[in-house]
Amino acid sequence: MKNLLVSLDQLTQFDEIVDVRTPLEFAEDHIPGAINAPVLSNEERVIVGTMYKQVSPFEATRVGAAMVARNIAHHLETTFAGRPRNWRPLTYCWRGGKRSGSMTTWLNLIGWQARQLDGGYKVYRGSVLEALKRLPGQFDYVALTGHTGSGKTRLLQALRKAGAQVLDLEELACHRGSLLGALPDQPQPAQKAFDTALVSVLSRFDVQRPVFVEAESRRIGAITLPQTLLERFQGGACVEVEATHAERITFLLQDYAHLFDNPDSFKHQLDRLIGLHSREQVKHWQHLIDAGNRIGADGMGGRRAAAARAELFGELIERHYDPAYQRSSRQHFSRLGEALHFSFRPNAADSAGQAAALLASVAQAGAKADGNADEKASGKVLTGTPHRAAEAAHVAAPPGVAAGAEVGLPGGAPERPAPVKPQ
């Protein structure tokens, strides 16, 4: 069988990658692009594992072999029935052992040039962890900071459409990152799957261009960000995204409207704030949730419900999110005053135009920093270092679009943490 083993760096030489592990193992994480053709079901793997420990390895192997043979036969009749004669698949299991070995043997007996990944998923997972130590440090980052409801994620999405390199960590984590950030009917991925997706995105970036990222805490819901990435974008330049109080409330009413679909769950999430706020204060917010779902027969219920929802988010902004952001920004941003301040209208239809304005501002600030660096090199100035902000995106912004900028980005990459989203 040794002549059927191939290394991880040969993945691209095959027509298809076949993961023969159980559906649960596959769902937790898998090599990008792989299909799942399990040779043991979730239940069958438990049966074989229990028999291996409680009966004997021989009996477990005998029973497991029969299960594997039936499942391989099923895949030959269904999953692989339409594969051409010259099909070249690569199979893998957990460690490149019996499961993928069995599938590889049968595929070769049929006539396909199948190969088995040496070391299996375990080797691939090791490569992901190694990449997470190496890849994040290759890029310069521009972190979007700002109060809850200022539309940082919406601006990040607009920057992507405008041509900038964007790392949307909340999109990868399927979570908005705040106390109420769980997405409706969309569970978060496993940590391993998140790591794989993150490496996949970073691998496609150009190291000569900066990466825009929303400032996050170490955890986004149940997902933990790699320390190497945190340290890198915490030490990079930042943009303070600003929106009016009214615009922030409107934005939150849109993005978090689904919370009122399940008021009991919404109120339960607010229970977690007891301790940071009095029980009476949290109860008041929970009463506003009930009022926000109350539609009366007098025709005024809709307006009263809308007013209650606006009051709820207004108070959460004023009494919880903003004070928490101020504490965290003072703690983590010693040079926050050097950030580029950008006025954003998160509810406006021209988010693409606003993103172009930001890119123009960043490019202008970067060019200024580069000029200062040249002067410094010639002894004309004492401060300022060049950075790649001027290469924020290969798009041409129209004249005058930088009106939202108030001050320039700091030169270089000062060592300062990114703001932590209040939880």
Side-chain angles (χ1 to χ4, degrees), residues 392-413:
H394 300 303
V395 293
V401 295
E406 297 175 5
V407 297
L409 280 168

Side-chain angles (χ1 to χ4, degrees), residues 27-29 168-195 197 216-225 269 272 423:
E28 183 182 32
D29 187 34
D168 193 338
L169 294 169
E170 294 183 2
E171 180 180 68
L172 296 179
C174 297
H175 197 283
R176 291 193 177 99
S178 63
L179 169 70
L180 306 174
L183 300 180
D185 303 319
Q186 191 172 356
Q188 288 194 263
Q191 181 69 49
K192 291 179 179 179
F194 173 83
D195 293 343
E216 304 284 355
S217 64
R218 181 164 176 76
R219 292 181 66 84
I220 304 179
I223 295 297
T224 301
L225 299 182
Q269 292 179 68
R272 295 159 57 188
Q423 297 297 322

Side-chain angles (χ1 to χ4, degrees), residues 49-68:
T50 302
M51 185 174 291
Y52 189 94
K53 293 180 179 179
Q54 296 183 359
V55 182
S56 72
F58 173 79
E59 283 300 310
T61 302
R62 182 185 64 80
V63 172
M67 294 175 176
V68 168

Side-chain angles (χ1 to χ4, degrees), residues 68-325:
V68 168
R70 284 192 293 269
N71 289 323
I72 290 178
H74 172 73
H75 290 305
L76 291 175
E77 294 172 341
T78 56
T79 310
F80 307 136
R83 300 302 190 269
R85 171 67 181 82
N86 60 350
W87 181 50
R88 297 187 70 250
L90 174 67
T91 70
Y92 73 91
C93 57
W94 168 241
R95 288 179 297 187
K98 293 181 178 179
R99 287 187 288 175
S100 57
S102 299
M103 178 70 84
T104 303
T105 298
W106 273 105
L107 294 180
N108 277 279
L109 287 173
I110 291 170
W112 287 311
Q113 296 182 35
R115 295 295 182 267
Q116 180 183 3
L117 179 60
D118 192 11
Y121 170 80
K122 186 176 181 181
V123 166
Y124 172 74
R125 174 62 180 169
S127 75
V128 170
L129 294 177
E130 180 60 32
L132 288 177
K133 296 178 183 177
R134 171 179 48 84
L135 274 177
Q138 297 180 1
F139 304 98
D140 289 336
Y141 298 88
V142 179
L144 303 184
T145 69
H147 289 92
T148 297
S150 57
K152 298 182 294 294
T153 300
R154 189 167 293 181
L155 177 57
L156 202 65
Q157 295 166 347
L159 286 168
R160 175 189 288 161
K161 293 180 180 178
Q165 283 191 148
V166 165
L167 176 60
D168 193 338
L169 294 169
E170 294 183 2
E171 180 180 68
L172 296 179
C174 297
H175 197 283
R176 291 193 177 99
S178 63
L179 169 70
L180 306 174
L183 300 180
D185 303 319
Q186 191 172 356
Q188 288 194 263
Q191 181 69 49
K192 291 179 179 179
F194 173 83
D195 293 343
T196 290
L198 177 58
V199 168
S200 180
V201 171
L202 290 175
S203 298
R204 296 194 295 267
F205 283 158
D206 180 357
V207 297
Q208 297 302 317
R209 300 171 59 204
V211 175
F212 285 84
V213 61
E214 184 175 347
E216 304 284 355
S217 64
R218 181 164 176 76
R219 292 181 66 84
I220 304 179
I223 295 297
T224 301
L225 299 182
Q227 188 63 32
T228 48
L229 176 63
L230 276 174
E231 291 175 353
R232 187 61 178 172
F233 76 67
Q234 286 173 357
C238 64
V239 172
E240 181 85 1
V241 181
E242 299 170 341
T244 67
H245 187 266
E247 286 176 324
R248 291 167 61 197
I249 293 177
T250 301
F251 176 81
L252 291 176
L253 286 171
Q254 293 176 1
D255 257 30
Y256 291 86
H258 64 276
L259 294 172
F260 291 93
D261 295 337
N262 191 340
D264 290 337
S265 175
F266 192 0
K267 288 189 284 187
H268 178 70
Q269 292 179 68
L270 292 185
D271 277 335
R272 295 159 57 188
L273 295 179
I274 296 176
L276 295 174
H277 302 275
S278 69
R279 188 175 298 274
E280 291 74 18
Q281 176 66 76
V282 173
K283 288 294 184 185
H284 168 64
W285 290 335
Q286 292 172 334
H287 288 319
L288 287 176
I289 293 175
D290 290 332
N293 275 339
R294 191 175 298 127
I295 305 297
D298 56 2
M300 298 293 292
R303 267 185 274 181
R304 290 172 179 168
R309 295 185 180 196
E311 181 181 353
L312 171 63
F313 281 117
E315 291 193 11
L316 285 174
I317 284 176
E318 295 168 3
R319 303 191 183 187
H320 176 69
Y321 285 116
D322 283 4
Y325 177 78

